[in-house]
Amino acid sequence: MTAKSKWLDFHTHFGEDGSVNSPFAVVSISVEDVDKARMPNLFTIGLHPWQTDRLDSYRMVVNRLPGLLAQRRCLALGEVGVDRLRGAPLPAQQELLALQLRTAETQHKPVVFHCVRAWSEMLSTLRAARFTQNCALHGFQGSCPVLPGLLDEGWFISVKPRNNGTIAPEVAEIPLQQILIETDAKPVLIADVYRAVAQVKQIPVADLLSTVTENAQRFFGINPAAVGKHA
């Protein structure tokens, strides 16, 4: 599996060509892919559920992940989680998730979750870990049976385009203060994702840009300007 990049752009403005210019884009990297490409300026890192069936999955989580997660440029653990359709058997995925959550809790890092048809397994693992840091759901496209509960618990929801490039109408139900934006490595400009989400939320794009910046500050627990200065 190649690196599954996700862009959370949280301090941004539109350029003259309509693109988004930002030194504060956050890329999601798998711990397996660290040695294969140049590391981005800001990133999240974890063992993706799809890679849990690797023979060296436990070694990567126990031996490699803590040091990578501790880097100043690493803002969160993720994507991690549970996937019923791909990866190791669910008990093994849950065990690996628990190990990663323990590391993130120790280092006070938030977590970006991937979950496919295994909500009860993922949430039971999270609760058993007594995890207290911020949580975000990756790749929201309108299908999430536990969305109301996640919102009540203060989760951030990272919105991405559907396969046809549109934004799910269910995004209208997500409070603005809990939205993050991503492309999930799709061949689209993140500026276009902002515009599409702003249309669904019926607010000016500038307001959405400002709100997502503030949301990301709260989710990552950092000052974006400080990160850009010292990264």
Side-chain angles (χ1 to χ4, degrees), residues 51-174:
Q51 298 171 328
T52 53
D53 57 358
R54 291 175 53 97
L55 294 177
D56 59 351
S57 59
Y58 284 87
R59 179 185 61 79
M60 287 192 293
V61 166
V62 173
N63 296 336
R64 297 206 67 187
L65 179 64
L68 293 166
L69 195 63
Q71 292 186 23
R72 183 180 182 86
R73 294 182 298 152
C74 182
L75 302 186
L77 173 70
E79 300 162 27
V80 297
V82 184
D83 193 317
R84 189 177 297 275
L85 303 183
R86 190 168 174 180
L90 291 186
Q93 291 194 38
Q94 289 177 266
E95 184 177 355
L96 287 163
L97 175 58
L99 289 171
Q100 295 182 88
L101 290 174
R102 189 179 308 160
T103 300
E105 179 70 24
T106 299
Q107 298 192 16
H108 306 289
K109 292 289 178 79
V111 178
V112 180
F113 284 95
H114 166 104
C115 186
V116 175
R117 300 186 186 180
W119 297 103
S120 62
E121 288 84 357
M122 187 187 79
L123 292 174
S124 65
T125 303
L126 177 63
R127 288 164 184 151
R130 300 181 182 273
F131 191 72
T132 63
Q133 310 305 314
N134 288 333
C135 298
L137 177 64
H138 144 73
F140 181 78
Q141 299 181 90
S143 177
C144 177
V146 298
L147 179 63
L150 298 183
L151 292 174
D152 288 344
E153 293 177 14
W155 281 52
F156 293 80
I157 308 299
S158 187
V159 176
K160 74 174 185 179
R162 296 182 291 189
N163 290 336
N164 62 3
T166 63
I167 297 298
E170 290 86 351
V171 170
E173 303 171 11
I174 304 172

Side-chain angles (χ1 to χ4, degrees), residues 150-151 154-157 174-180 215 218:
L150 298 183
L151 292 174
W155 281 52
F156 293 80
I157 308 299
I174 304 172
L176 273 173
Q177 288 70 27
Q178 290 172 261
I179 286 181
L180 297 172
N215 293 349
R218 288 186 293 111

Side-chain angles (χ1 to χ4, degrees), residues 7 9 14 17-21 161 165 181-183 185-196:
W7 297 84
D9 210 334
F14 287 107
D17 60 353
S19 64
V20 167
N21 298 320
I181 301 292
E182 65 175 277
T183 65
K186 293 182 181 297
V188 297
L189 292 174
I190 198 167
D192 292 335
V193 184
Y194 272 102
R195 293 189 185 98

